[in-house]
Amino acid sequence: MSQLEAAADALGVEMPAADCFLCRRPLTAWLTLPGDWRKPRSVRPWHLLWCDSCSFGAVAPRPSPEELAAAYAVDDYYTHHAPQAVAAVRSLADRLRVKLAWYADLGVEAELAPWSLARHGVRAPASLCDVGCGNGGTLRTMAAAGFQVVGIEPDGDACRTANAAGLHVVEGSAENWPAALSDRTFDVVTMMHVLEHTMDPVAAVARIADALRPGGTFFVETPNNACRGLREAGIAWRWLDAPRHLNFFTPASLQAVCTQAGLEIAAVEYTGYARQFQHDWLSDEQEIHRRLKQLAAGASQIKSTPLRPRNSAWRAMSLLRQTWNASPAEKYDSVRVIARKR
Ligand SMILES: [Zn+2]
């Protein structure tokens, strides 16, 4: 970026130009955040651009390596720690709302389990590589079910935690494939809520396609940016999380990135309905809203996207009414694509 462009960017006066990773046509303005909600003092615009023909979004310009490292250097980032217990539901209204949502939740299980794979004909003792495995939760489940498992994880601390627990996890990523695994192919590659973090999602999936044996299966899940929850919450949507999330998929664009890598789509599944109505989801969005509001107030020169009304029990009930009978693409916060190598 030139000095002039950088200055314009800092002032929030001009939308940066960037091309769609999928179709290479120019992206257009979508959302602008006044900063990173996890970094209360980081006033700096994050522009999210969109491709209408692919229904795909991307942060542009991409963060520098230093900015990216800083974005993950937050105390509560999940990969460093053991999974936390789900916060208890609080009031009677919370319990009732969540119960209603559970009745309407016909999505698949949120955590990948042996039966998530068996549904698509994949069974132990298949070899499985989990890309972006964090501290190894999925690997542990699959190893216990008889799969031969290996993990790839960019976070050194998470690697050490997983290896100390007896798993085989190698430092690296889809875009920076570890040399130790360069000759190996797998029956299954899983990538759960990781593709949205990659600098080049097309290159990432192409590398994964290379690591699959013919007939091998790829399970990939990302937030679903076609869902109504995003439209309601706007820039305070819990799964937006820029600049850790750099790519924004919908069911159409998640399938497109797989077919571009030469994979065949076997199935599309949805997950994450009832959790959007739980107490911890509401309180997280309220906190994100509060912090973005603070960031925006401290950066009047940034033309950030106006905040939508803050989430509340009332707004959650309204979302429940709107989505109860909606199509899966509008209803669920996440989408999973199952794709096969020919
Ligand atoms: Zn496009």
Side-chain angles (χ1 to χ4, degrees), residues 153-185:
E153 167 58 39
D155 183 287
D157 288 344
C159 279
R160 280 182 283 280
T161 306
N163 284 313
L167 294 165
H168 180 205
V169 175
V170 185
E171 198 165 332
S173 67
E175 296 164 283
N176 187 14
W177 200 261
L181 299 178
S182 63
D183 297 332
R184 286 196 57 182
T185 56

Side-chain angles (χ1 to χ4, degrees), residues 151-340:
I152 297 177
E153 167 58 39
D155 183 287
D157 288 344
C159 279
R160 280 182 283 280
T161 306
N163 284 313
L167 294 165
H168 180 205
V169 175
V170 185
E171 198 165 332
S173 67
E175 296 164 283
N176 187 14
W177 200 261
L181 299 178
S182 63
D183 297 332
R184 286 196 57 182
T185 56
F186 300 92
D187 298 316
V188 190
V189 176
T190 55
M191 195 189 211
M192 305 296 283
H193 287 262
V194 170
L195 193 59
E196 64 273 23
H197 297 259
T198 58
M199 288 294 260
D200 184 340
V202 171
V205 176
R207 184 60 191 87
I208 285 165
D210 282 344
L212 283 169
R213 65 152 180 82
T217 313
F218 180 37
F219 290 79
V220 59
E221 184 179 310
T222 67
N224 169 22
N225 294 274
C227 82
R228 208 175 278 243
L230 164 57
R231 271 182 276 164
E232 285 300 305
I235 59 172
W237 191 47
R238 195 192 198 207
W239 283 163
L240 210 57
D241 207 28
R244 282 158 298 280
H245 291 182
L246 297 168
N247 313 301
F248 305 90
F249 292 96
T250 64
S253 47
L254 190 58
Q255 290 177 76
V257 72
C258 293
T259 52
Q260 272 203 14
L263 302 174
E264 249 168 23
I265 306 301
V268 180
E269 296 179 331
Y270 293 89
T271 188
Y273 181 61
R275 66 184 173 201
Q276 298 174 77
F277 304 96
Q278 285 174 349
H279 176 86
D280 65 333
W281 183 285
L282 266 67
S283 59
D284 278 359
E285 282 196 347
Q286 288 166 355
E287 180 63 10
I288 295 166
H289 191 279
R290 189 184 69 78
R291 294 197 195 180
L292 288 176
K293 193 173 176 180
Q294 219 166 45
L295 281 165
S300 51
Q301 78 279 15
I302 298 173
K303 291 192 186 81
S304 57
T305 306
L307 278 156
R308 308 254 315 137
R310 183 173 159 271
N311 204 345
S312 63
W314 186 86
R315 291 192 64 80
M317 275 309 288
S318 158
L319 181 65
L320 187 64
R321 270 198 304 275
Q322 291 177 52
T323 51
W324 179 274
N325 253 332
S327 69
E330 287 191 304
K331 183 168 173 174
Y332 296 91
D333 68 38
S334 296
V335 54
R336 186 180 303 169
V337 168
I338 296 94
R340 284 222 166 81

Side-chain angles (χ1 to χ4, degrees), residues 20-25 27 51-56:
C20 175
F21 280 92
L22 292 162
C23 71
R24 293 287 152 204
R25 291 194 197 100
L27 293 163
C51 175
D52 265 331
S53 49
C54 300
S55 72
F56 168 77

